[in-house]
Amino acid sequence: RQVVRPDATLPPVTGPEVGSLLSVSNEAKEVCPLYTARVIRGVKVGPSPAWLVARLEAIGLRSVNNVVDVTNFVLFESGQPLHAFDMKKLAGGKIVIRHAKQGETFEAIDGSKHTLKAGMLVIADASAPSAIAGVMGGKQSEVTEATTDIVLESAIFAPMAVRQTSRTLKLMSDSSYRFERGVDPQGVELASRRAAKLIIELAGGELAKGVIVAGSVPASNTTVTLRVNRCNELLGLSLSAVRIVEILNKLGMSPRLDNDSKAIACTIPSHRLDL
């Protein structure tokens, strides 16, 4: 079978330009090469439909509300962690990706309280940290049933930065687990669109026009050569070069067979960081 991506077609956009509602400043591009934000206004936060609750429970997650559940669902569907902020709780209507100041305090959504060290990467508003980047959101800006406007975050954070902060604070999550191992640089925008689509379907609301992008997508154009004979030796099979090309093509590897059919050059998809 062919690998099929989930539907991430955005609904009709009727809201104002996202830049007129929110500003984003990325002051730490060395550890946050890409940060994106969408705004959805007028959502109705409440219980998730039965199908979503069942899917989350099937993988050991408890349902929180329709907005948070969508971010968790898309995390497991795509491998890209997401976070939703209550926009009205972001001071100054802004997001600042920056390093923490020594001694800043932070309360996570799980209720744990932390004193931050200088250099830890945080997602802040105009006055204080609202999330520990790649690890966990803050209690102050979490989405509740009183939330009406949200900011949807999808980003890339450096694995080592997330790992060090997570270990130091003894604060771990499904998001930190994935960021520590690296995420698909081409999947950030796809996951954001997918989550925005599902949130509007389940919670309503009006999507602001466009997406704020702070940074750029890291280049990923790795080529790996597979030797046909060596492949069969390792598998204990006798697959033809043509059959191997067919399989690799279905996996999105863009295989190219050399003239003597002894080797296959594959362009590695951005989501296959293991190859």
Side-chain angles (χ1 to χ4, degrees):
R1 297 191 177 191
Q2 192 80 24
V3 175
V4 179
R5 293 271 191 170
D7 183 10
T9 306
L10 288 174
V13 177
T14 57
E17 290 282 350
V18 66
S20 68
L21 304 173
L22 177 76
S23 68
V24 176
S25 175
N26 189 348
E27 300 176 359
K29 290 183 179 178
E30 73 281 2
V31 284
C32 177
L34 176 63
Y35 188 95
T36 71
R38 279 190 160 85
V39 171
I40 305 174
R41 300 189 302 171
V43 300
K44 184 173 178 56
V45 179
S48 292
W51 70 263
L52 182 53
V53 174
R55 280 162 174 74
L56 292 176
E57 289 180 346
I59 55 175
L61 295 183
R62 67 179 180 86
S63 175
V64 179
N65 58 54
N66 47 10
V67 171
V68 174
D69 288 356
V70 165
T71 62
N72 285 331
F73 177 76
V74 175
L75 160 65
F76 280 89
E77 183 181 60
S78 68
Q80 171 64 45
L82 302 161
H83 185 66
F85 298 93
D86 185 324
M87 185 173 173
K88 292 183 178 178
K89 295 177 183 177
L90 294 175
K94 65 171 56 178
I95 283 178
V96 182
I97 303 101
R98 63 170 173 83
H99 295 290
K101 301 168 186 175
Q102 184 67 33
E104 279 189 301
T105 57
F106 174 78
E107 183 177 2
I109 55 175
D110 66 356
S112 59
K113 298 179 179 180
H114 307 272
T115 299
L116 307 182
K117 294 185 178 181
M120 290 180 171
L121 187 63
V122 299
I123 310 302
D125 57 20
S127 60
S130 292
I132 303 298
V135 180
M136 194 172 290
K139 190 77 173 175
Q140 184 275 333
S141 60
E142 73 173 329
V143 172
T144 68
E145 291 192 357
T147 300
T148 57
D149 303 339
I150 65 168
V151 175
L152 180 62
E153 166 194 289
S154 186
I156 298 173
F157 301 116
M160 187 58 71
V162 174
R163 184 178 300 118
Q164 289 176 340
T165 298
S166 176
R167 298 300 186 273
T168 300
L169 297 179
K170 295 180 174 60
L171 189 63
M172 300 174 189
S173 64
D174 288 318
S175 291
S176 66
Y177 182 89
R178 283 154 183 81
F179 278 123
E180 287 179 20
R181 289 155 179 80
V183 298
D184 176 8
Q186 301 291 334
V188 173
E189 170 65 3
L190 179 71
S192 175
R193 294 199 312 269
R194 172 67 168 164
K197 168 185 168 64
L198 291 175
I199 288 171
I200 290 173
E201 287 179 0
L202 302 183
E206 178 184 63
L207 179 65
K209 184 178 181 180
V211 55
I212 296 177
V213 179
S216 59
V217 179
S220 57
N221 193 24
T222 304
T223 300
V224 174
T225 298
L226 172 69
R227 291 169 291 160
V228 174
N229 288 341
R230 181 59 174 157
C231 175
N232 282 318
E233 287 175 0
L234 290 172
L235 294 177
L237 298 174
S238 183
L239 299 173
S240 69
V242 172
R243 177 57 179 151
I244 294 174
V245 166
E246 180 183 304
I247 293 169
L248 293 173
N249 192 54
K250 288 183 177 181
L251 293 172
M253 299 294 169
S254 302
R256 301 179 304 281
L257 188 61
D258 65 14
N259 291 331
D260 58 7
S261 299
K262 290 184 177 180
I264 303 167
C266 298
T267 300
I268 305 303
S270 59
H271 68 279
R272 291 302 302 268
L273 300 178
D274 55 320
L275 298 179

